Amino acid sequence: MSFTRTCCISGLLLLFLALTCEARVPRNANVGFIAVNSAHFELNGSPFLFNGFNSYWLMHVAAEPSERYKVTEGLDFVISEAKKYDVHLILSFVNNWNDFGGKAQYIQWARNAGAQINGDHDFYTHPILKDYYKNHIKAWVQEMASFVKSLDNKHLLEVGMEGFYGDLVPERKQVNPGYQVGTDFISNHLINEIDFVTIHAYTDQWVSGQNDEAQLAWMQRWVTSDWEDARTILKKPLVLAEFGKSSRGQGYNLSSRDIFMSNVYRNIYNLAKEGGTMAGSLVWQLMAQGMENYDDGYCIVLGQNPSTAGIISGQSHAMTALTNLIHNPLE
């Protein structure tokens, strides 16, 4: 098996995510595009489940001419490390929240209009800021999704949402982590041109102040709720596109991160095993050696974190075995 073939699941909207797939296929195989069939991913007509990782720092070094050499060096290192542990998907950013309609832009618009804004946190609570965001999203997802599909209908398209519920299914708002952000997980993913569903989960930020057990319980409710709706309402594949545990969190230690990741992976595997929509997850984030200045607290360097690397590797093998079981149920 080889990591030489690269294909893309191109993301759109809000975050413009580009999901680069290092598919584990024979070097000379005729690799097609990943497709969606009956709410699950397929590659060349076979089921496609995965375990992968984010590396947002690739975009940042690429944007700085004097640092672009680090893209090749860093990518080679990360892919080499990931290959050792059987991890085969990379998620990087073509654009990000701060570059496109970020919080600072909305805050500036509101201040220009005379609103009293106390800080970035007001983005999540101030009625003017929430209305600005809702107005920006309304119809824009449909328009831009249709436009992108008119240019390229082979790559899959997603919104890059974190999974927060809105007004379309108000009873689901109780699943949100205690606040609203003006998005609607259901309505934006119902758009036909959006091929698959994404959610994020940062328990140490979203449900801070709770112990590890409570955060894990919330995490399971969050992922399971979105999985149920992806299966029954949206009928599209679901990807946990970002999750992690920050080393800057109160009471953090390596063991707590490993336990957290093991439990998240177990939930992902069990939901995928039930059939339907759960396709896989991408941990935030894998780093290359020498890139410590991009560490946001979630940094994982596989060679320096053998216990965590083993957990990630174990999930990759488990998802591969599950893929083979689904493809060959009688074997």
Side-chain angles (χ1 to χ4, degrees):
M1 297 299 176
S2 145
F3 275 64
T4 58
R5 170 66 181 177
T6 299
C7 55
C8 291
I9 306 176
S10 295
L12 170 71
L13 317 178
L14 311 188
L15 297 180
F16 287 90
L17 303 179
L19 179 60
T20 304
C21 161
E22 295 287 344
R24 291 173 304 152
V25 293
R27 182 181 298 270
N28 297 320
N30 181 22
V31 179
F33 290 92
I34 295 176
V36 173
N37 183 12
S38 300
H40 63 267
F41 289 138
E42 285 188 349
L43 179 61
N44 294 337
S46 298
F48 183 79
L49 302 174
F50 64 87
N51 183 46
F53 60 94
N54 290 270
S55 289
Y56 90 99
W57 48 271
L58 289 170
M59 177 195 70
H60 287 269
V61 296
E64 179 56 50
S66 64
E67 299 225 316
R68 285 178 184 162
Y69 71 94
K70 294 181 181 178
V71 174
T72 301
E73 292 181 0
L75 191 58
D76 285 346
F77 175 83
V78 169
I79 289 178
S80 176
E81 286 289 286
K83 184 178 179 180
K84 296 177 186 176
Y85 298 98
D86 202 31
V87 184
H88 58 284
L89 279 175
I90 306 170
L91 182 62
S92 187
F93 286 80
V94 177
N95 207 333
N96 71 7
W97 173 248
N98 292 318
D99 294 330
F100 188 84
K103 287 186 286 189
Q105 182 64 65
Y106 288 95
I107 289 169
Q108 188 59 51
W109 287 337
R111 284 176 171 158
N112 291 344
Q116 179 64 42
I117 306 298
N118 297 317
D120 286 359
H121 60 278
D122 280 0
F123 175 80
Y124 300 105
T125 58
H126 199 290
I128 291 178
L129 290 171
K130 291 197 292 184
D131 284 343
Y132 281 177
Y133 187 69
K134 289 177 182 178
N135 290 336
H136 177 76
I137 293 299
K138 191 180 298 179
W140 185 85
V141 174
Q142 176 66 73
E143 180 183 352
M144 294 304 157
S146 298
F147 174 71
V148 171
K149 282 294 189 179
S150 74
L151 300 176
D152 180 355
N153 63 4
K154 293 184 180 297
H155 292 97
L156 302 182
L157 202 61
E158 55 104 354
V159 186
M161 296 187 69
E162 294 190 302
F164 297 105
Y165 287 97
D167 295 333
L168 191 63
V169 187
E171 63 270 20
R172 281 296 203 191
K173 288 184 179 181
Q174 63 182 340
V175 182
N176 289 343
Y179 53 83
Q180 313 296 319
V181 298
T183 62
D184 193 315
F185 169 75
I186 300 296
S187 62
N188 286 334
H189 282 116
L190 281 171
I191 293 171
N192 289 334
E193 288 82 0
I194 300 302
D195 297 298
F196 64 104
V197 177
T198 61
I199 60 171
H200 303 166
Y202 292 101
T203 57
D204 40 18
Q205 298 179 40
W206 295 358
V207 286
S208 60
Q210 299 190 28
N211 60 32
D212 288 348
E213 291 75 17
Q215 289 187 8
L216 276 171
W218 180 87
M219 179 76 172
Q220 183 160 348
R221 289 194 303 271
W222 177 251
V223 175
T224 303
S225 173
D226 288 315
W227 169 74
E228 289 171 349
D229 292 330
R231 182 181 62 168
T232 61
I233 299 175
L234 302 171
K235 296 178 171 49
K236 296 178 181 182
L238 171 65
V239 174
L240 176 57
E242 294 180 23
F243 80 98
K245 190 170 184 62
S246 175
S247 61
R248 299 172 185 172
Q250 186 176 6
Y252 169 85
N253 57 59
L254 181 60
S255 176
S256 67
R257 183 177 72 183
D258 288 350
I259 291 171
F260 175 79
M261 290 181 60
S262 295
N263 279 276
V264 172
Y265 280 150
R266 187 178 302 112
N267 192 29
I268 294 297
Y269 176 87
N270 288 337
L271 294 178
K273 188 176 181 180
E274 287 195 34
T277 61
M278 179 56 75
S281 59
L282 300 127
V283 68
W284 187 280
Q285 63 166 321
L286 258 60
M287 300 286 290
Q289 291 178 339
M291 304 298 294
E292 287 78 8
N293 56 320
Y294 288 99
D295 181 9
D296 56 357
Y298 295 91
C299 167
I300 300 172
V301 179
L302 292 175
Q304 297 175 1
N305 297 266
S307 63
T308 306
I311 291 167
I312 295 173
S313 176
Q315 178 72 357
S316 296
H317 286 287
M319 295 299 280
T320 298
L322 183 57
T323 301
N324 293 334
L325 179 63
I326 295 171
H327 185 52
N328 303 295
L330 298 181
E331 292 186 2

